[in-house]
Amino acid sequence: MLSYQTLDNIADAYIPALAILCLCLLIKHTLAREWQRLLREGGLFVMGLVVAYTIMFVDNALLLWPQFNMDYSTHTAVALVLVITLWVMKNSLQGIWSVFLFVSLLGYFLLMLYQQYHSVADIISTSLVVGALVLPLAGKIQKN
């Protein structure tokens, strides 16, 4: 069995790994001069992160989640945004990677539960709120 510290290091590496993959794909679009894709997918990347962190700031100011004995999970929000962004970028990824993204997200959620970073309610409530705001934008981008 892996130690708590090793699992903590894995959890700490997940979001930066997703972000680096997003940035590499955006750089690929830049080098290929795919300006429309760069603007659409880069816009989703930035706007999704703005949504995730804006909700965090609002929650910190108004204490929305604590009113329900929950905690807004910035980890969940950012991981979800990055996976959605990568899913939209899936044309740059080959087949199995799209499945891997969602399996990795589920694994990350389970790891957060195992490490007791957040509760099931924290993860689900954060995913519902952030997903409700980011998925329509991703759907709009996906159609173009």
Side-chain angles (χ1 to χ4, degrees):
M1 189 65 150
L2 298 175
S3 71
Y4 181 91
Q5 189 59 44
T6 299
L7 292 172
D8 189 52
N9 289 337
I10 292 169
D12 286 346
Y14 182 71
I15 288 175
L18 292 177
I20 289 168
L21 183 55
C22 282
L23 291 172
C24 286
L25 292 173
L26 292 173
I27 290 168
K28 176 184 171 200
H29 296 333
T30 302
L31 295 174
R33 297 178 185 212
E34 297 172 335
W35 306 121
Q36 287 186 343
R37 280 190 78 183
L38 176 65
L39 288 174
R40 285 193 318 263
E41 295 171 6
L44 176 60
F45 176 73
V46 171
M47 290 306 300
L49 293 175
V50 166
V51 165
Y53 284 106
T54 298
I55 295 170
M56 179 194 76
F57 288 121
V58 169
D59 180 55
N60 287 339
L62 302 178
L63 303 174
L64 300 172
W65 266 258
Q67 290 180 21
F68 300 97
N69 294 319
M70 292 187 291
D71 182 32
Y72 174 74
S73 172
T74 309
H75 292 100
T76 298
V78 172
L80 182 63
V81 163
L82 294 174
V83 166
I84 290 170
T85 300
L86 286 165
W87 180 76
V88 168
M89 296 174 153
K90 71 183 175 197
N91 292 340
S92 297
L93 302 171
Q94 298 301 317
I96 193 80
W97 283 102
S98 293
V99 173
F100 174 77
L101 286 171
F102 289 101
V103 170
S104 74
L105 183 62
L106 178 60
Y108 183 64
F109 290 167
L110 293 172
L111 180 57
M112 285 194 295
L113 292 172
Y114 182 79
Q115 295 289 91
Q116 299 179 349
Y117 298 159
H118 290 287
S119 69
V120 171
D122 298 340
I123 293 168
I124 290 174
S125 62
T126 299
S127 295
L128 289 173
V129 172
V130 172
L133 296 170
V134 175
L135 282 171
L137 180 58
K140 193 169 224 169
I141 289 170
Q142 191 72 0
K143 289 179 185 177
N144 291 333

